[in-house]
């Protein structure tokens, strides 16, 4: 993937949602990220605006679909960000992209302990709907707005269950660490993560790793504390020197 920049956009941030979630909440990040960062939420089949499409039940298939959705922007510097289930998908996508020779500039993960860490809860995906929902509710793994609307919740249960099945049956089989930096974010009141499990992401990369602990629960993507931390971490990537030179004024040399 050739690294191409323009003064308007020097980085594309692809975002992957939590289990059962849609791309919609990520649209709000646009106003929080640094100038020149373009936010592109990715919608998976069976979720959000693609609700009527067939759900994917294998994480390898999800990765293939994510890369297909990214394909139209091939050639630009990019980063991957995923929350909870999306963090696992972003990690596996980074692995696949590394094999293809097109890794991201940065992998950002939140609300999910390291894939090499033990599962944070007893498996739920095979339970009947009432027990499945109750289990997610106890762990704080389902938005309160969804719990408050049972008819809407019923619509999202199939995607929630399919995504959680992938999380609960996942086995980490990779032996080599990534050569991509990883930035992790977690809420101190999140019952699905803990600091040690989040620190374990450091084992998966040879590049720099940093962890930001927030005073939040599992869902914090709208919180000012997270938005500030995200903007700060993205700002450390660039913009690249070629872009900075372009913005500071003309340089000597022939025109092309």
């Amino acid at each position: 993937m050739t690294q191409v920049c323009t003064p308007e956009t020097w980085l594309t941030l692809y975002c992957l949602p939590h289990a059962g979630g849609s791309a919609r909440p990520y649209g709000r990040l646009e106003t929080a990220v640094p100038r020149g960062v373009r936010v592109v939420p990715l919608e998976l089949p069976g979720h959000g605006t693609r609700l009527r499409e067939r759900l994917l039940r294998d994480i390898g298939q999800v990765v293939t679909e994510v890369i297909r959705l990214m394909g139209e922007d091939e050639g630009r510097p990019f980063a991957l960000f995923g929350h909870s289930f999306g963090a696992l998908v972003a990690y596996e996508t980074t692995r696949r992209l590394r094999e293809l020779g097109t890794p991201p500039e940065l992998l950002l993960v939140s609300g999910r302990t390291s894939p090499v860490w033990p599962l944070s809860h007893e498996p739920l995906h095979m339970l009947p709907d009432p027990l499945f929902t109750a289990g997610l509710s106890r762990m704080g793994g389902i938005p309160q707005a969804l719990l408050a609307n049972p008819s809407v919740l019923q619509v999202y249960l199939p995607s929630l269950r399919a995504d959680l099945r992938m999380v609960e049956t996942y086995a980490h089989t990779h032996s080599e660490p990534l050569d991509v930096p990883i930035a992790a974010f977690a809420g101190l009141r999140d019952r699905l993560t803990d600091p040690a499990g989040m620190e374990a992401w450091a084992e998966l990369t040879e590049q720099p790793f940093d962890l930001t602990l927030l005073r939040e629960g599992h869902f914090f993507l709208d919180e000012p504390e997270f938005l500030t931390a995200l903007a700060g971490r993205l700002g450390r990537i660039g913009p690249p020197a070629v872009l900075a030179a372009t913005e500071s004024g003309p340089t000597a040399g022939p025109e092309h």
Side-chain angles (χ1 to χ4, degrees):
M1 187 178 289
T2 305
Q3 299 296 287
V4 178
C5 296
T6 69
E8 292 77 22
T9 300
W10 55 266
L11 183 76
T12 298
L13 178 64
Y14 293 104
C15 301
L16 293 157
H18 60 84
S22 73
R24 184 179 178 185
Y26 285 107
R28 303 168 193 161
L29 297 185
E30 195 76 55
T31 58
V33 298
R35 177 175 173 265
V37 175
R38 183 171 63 116
V39 177
V40 179
L42 299 180
E43 195 83 276
L44 299 178
H47 299 68
T49 58
R50 303 179 67 184
L51 192 62
R52 295 184 181 275
E53 296 182 35
R54 182 178 63 86
L55 283 164
L56 300 178
R57 302 180 185 276
D58 176 81
I59 198 162
Q61 294 176 344
V62 175
V63 168
T64 297
E65 175 64 7
V66 168
I67 293 174
R68 185 190 72 80
L69 292 172
M70 294 170 57
E72 64 185 42
D73 284 331
E74 186 173 350
R76 293 179 179 272
F78 68 96
L80 281 176
F81 173 50
H83 181 70
S84 198
F85 164 68
L88 186 61
V89 175
Y91 171 69
E92 284 293 321
T93 301
T94 299
R95 285 278 180 189
R96 180 85 64 85
L97 290 169
R98 181 197 187 199
E99 293 172 1
L100 295 172
T102 58
E105 304 287 321
L106 174 67
L107 170 62
L108 303 108
V109 294
S110 67
R112 173 61 161 84
T113 53
S114 167
V116 300
W117 205 250
L119 193 65
S120 63
H121 61 275
E122 291 295 322
L124 301 171
H125 72 272
M126 294 182 294
L127 296 176
D129 286 353
L131 294 178
F132 176 71
T133 304
L136 278 175
S137 178
R138 282 196 305 274
M139 296 185 299
I142 188 167
Q144 287 300 314
L146 202 55
L147 283 172
N149 196 328
S151 60
V152 175
L153 175 60
Q154 198 65 34
V155 173
Y156 285 95
L157 280 179
S159 58
L160 267 168
R161 192 182 293 277
D163 294 349
L164 203 60
R165 177 185 177 277
M166 284 184 268
V167 170
E168 294 177 345
T169 60
Y170 175 84
H172 189 269
T173 59
H174 308 291
S175 57
E176 294 184 2
L178 292 168
D179 54 1
V180 174
I182 298 178
F185 305 84
L188 288 169
R189 295 187 290 107
D190 186 356
R191 283 169 280 180
L192 292 172
T193 63
D194 60 72
M198 295 301 300
E199 284 282 1
W201 279 98
E203 303 169 17
L204 301 179
T205 181
E206 296 177 327
Q207 294 297 315
F209 167 79
D210 52 88
L211 170 62
T212 301
L213 296 175
L214 310 165
R215 296 166 294 184
E216 310 295 343
H218 187 62
F219 295 104
F220 50 71
L221 300 184
D222 286 337
E223 298 297 331
E225 186 182 16
F226 167 70
L227 296 175
T228 299
L230 175 65
R233 185 61 186 85
L234 290 173
R236 287 162 53 189
I237 300 177
V242 63
L243 176 57
T246 301
E247 290 187 333
S248 62
T251 56
E255 295 182 359
H256 299 283

